[in-house]
Amino acid sequence: MTVGARRMLPILASGRLVRLHQALDAVRASCDVGARRRLDPVAFVHRYRAPLDQELAGLLASSCAFGNVTTIRAKLDDVGVRLGSELSAIAEDRDALCDAMSGFRHRLYVGEDLALLVYGARIVQRRFGSLGDAFASFLSGGSTLHDALIAFVDEVRDASGLVMTGERRGPAHLLPDPRGGSASKRLLLYLRWMVRPADGIDLGLWPVSPARLVIPVDVHVHKLATNLGLTQARTPSWRVAEDITDVFRRFDPEDPVKYDFALCHLGMAGSCSSRFVREVCESCAIRNVCRHGDGSGRRSSTAQRVRAKVPAGHDDG
Ligand code: SF4
């Protein structure tokens, strides 16, 4: 499936892109991975050792990864206590899962939602050998990442029995349908964890090239991308995520999404107002490439200086 008829790509070679590349590499190099991991929902995945458990844990953790991060971590702690250390074992038993998750709530979700998610995912594991093998199968034969994600969500949802229509929004929100063109941030975050090479954060579990990934864009990454001139769109979407990834792909075609974690944990993240605030901006690691960083507000965006148009879906490889 193609999202959007045509895509606009920023200029490849420019001094601004070179500075942007240097700034992002510096942000990555200065990131305290261990300390940041402990604060991130991905820490839940690292509690497990067996790959089948890790990919189930990743699906659970990424599905819950919205809202206040302290609350997310507390809720995942609770899930971990309820489900024990062998997720793939308890996931065989639908009744045991539902009993263990009884009384749990997180935002739109009740315990049964997460129980059914894990139960369905375990069925897919048995069908394909692993969730990673399932996803790799959906991605083969010229499919785009978007195609594969749709097939993956459909497969898990069908196996789980999670019903999208009903009085509660939880089941639909838990496994969102990428067809609508939303940014699918939590699903792309899950892919990043499973596919990117093991680096203390991501786990490199799945037989999928990191070159295929698209960056997970939440409001925070969208804000930074806007400040860096990577997008002019007002809201995150799949297309915006692809456009940002296209820029990062110029810095590392084999691993464009490697900048995501560092950007997410950039020190000034919570205090950035997307305008020049001296006390905040003067210590910002991306100040020299931010549109607001010098206080003039006059810097043109990379996206404004579009030179080429290419068909959508070019990110297949
Ligand atoms: S320089 Fe200021 S406006 Fe730009 S990203 Fe940093 S904190 Fe935000």
Side-chain angles (χ1 to χ4, degrees):
M1 174 175 172
T2 293
V3 179
R6 295 183 72 80
R7 306 244 324 275
M8 310 282 277
L9 290 184
I11 293 171
L12 175 61
S14 73
R16 180 165 172 71
L17 281 178
V18 170
R19 290 200 308 281
L20 178 59
H21 188 182
Q22 291 170 339
L24 291 176
D25 279 341
V27 167
R28 257 175 65 78
S30 64
C31 183
D32 183 342
V33 167
R36 293 295 168 185
R37 184 175 100 180
R38 286 191 285 279
L39 301 174
D40 193 275
V42 76
F44 179 75
V45 189
H46 286 274
R47 295 179 187 179
Y48 298 87
R49 287 289 163 262
L52 290 180
D53 292 339
Q54 288 176 324
E55 60 179 17
L56 291 177
L59 189 60
L60 275 170
S62 60
S63 298
C64 293
F66 64 106
N68 178 280
V69 72
T70 304
T71 304
I72 295 168
R73 285 185 2 243
K75 291 295 178 179
L76 290 174
D77 285 346
D78 187 9
V79 171
V81 170
R82 288 167 180 267
L83 298 185
S85 60
E86 295 182 32
L87 284 180
S88 54
I90 193 171
E92 299 280 351
D93 187 335
R94 185 180 187 279
D95 291 340
L97 275 171
C98 289
D99 285 349
M101 292 301 295
S102 176
F104 175 88
R105 294 193 78 90
H106 175 51
R107 309 280 302 249
L108 304 170
Y109 309 151
V110 297
E112 183 179 288
D113 297 335
L114 296 185
L116 292 179
L117 175 70
V118 179
Y119 179 69
R122 180 67 190 129
I123 291 174
V124 177
Q125 283 184 331
R126 287 201 303 272
R127 245 176 230 163
F128 288 84
S130 70
L131 295 178
D133 287 334
F135 193 84
S137 163
F138 299 141
L139 196 53
S140 64
S143 296
T144 66
L145 192 84
H146 198 250
D147 293 334
L149 207 50
I150 289 170
F152 181 79
V153 166
D154 286 351
E155 188 82 17
V156 175
R157 182 174 289 286
D158 288 349
S160 69
L162 277 165
V163 180
M164 286 186 71
T165 54
E167 292 180 357
R168 290 191 308 105
R169 289 171 52 217
H173 192 270
L174 191 59
L175 268 182
D177 188 347
R179 289 179 179 83
S182 71
S184 301
K185 173 252 176 178
R186 288 172 294 134
L187 291 167
L188 290 175
L189 181 63
Y190 179 49
L191 292 187
R192 197 202 86 202
W193 291 348
M194 295 296 110
V195 171
R196 279 208 64 251
D199 62 357
I201 301 293
D202 302 318
L203 291 98
L205 288 179
W206 286 8
V208 172
S209 168
R212 306 289 301 265
L213 293 175
V214 171
I215 190 168
V217 178
D218 59 9
V219 290
H220 169 57
V221 169
H222 180 255
K223 175 171 68 175
L224 292 179
T226 303
N227 294 347
L228 293 173
L230 306 182
T231 180
Q232 293 177 299
R234 289 178 178 271
T235 55
S237 66
W238 185 273
R239 179 171 170 169
V240 167
E242 284 190 318
D243 285 346
I244 295 169
T245 308
D246 283 338
V247 176
F248 291 167
R249 189 166 280 120
R250 283 155 173 72
F251 305 154
D252 190 340
E254 299 305 316
D255 189 10
V257 175
K258 72 181 185 185
Y259 298 102
D260 180 52
F261 185 80
L263 273 182
C264 284
H265 288 272
L266 208 53
M268 82 316 136
S271 357
C272 173
S273 305
S274 289
R275 62 186 172 80
F276 183 74
V277 178
R278 187 174 303 280
E279 312 83 69
V280 178
C281 297
E282 281 187 345
S283 59
C284 176
I286 56 172
R287 178 184 176 185
N288 71 331
V289 283
C290 173
R291 303 166 69 187
H292 312 290
D294 64 0
S296 72
R298 289 194 300 271
R299 289 184 182 176
S300 63
S301 75
T302 302
Q304 285 173 323
R305 295 177 290 132
V306 169
R307 178 175 286 168
K309 293 182 178 181
V310 297
H314 68 97
D315 61 330
D316 287 359

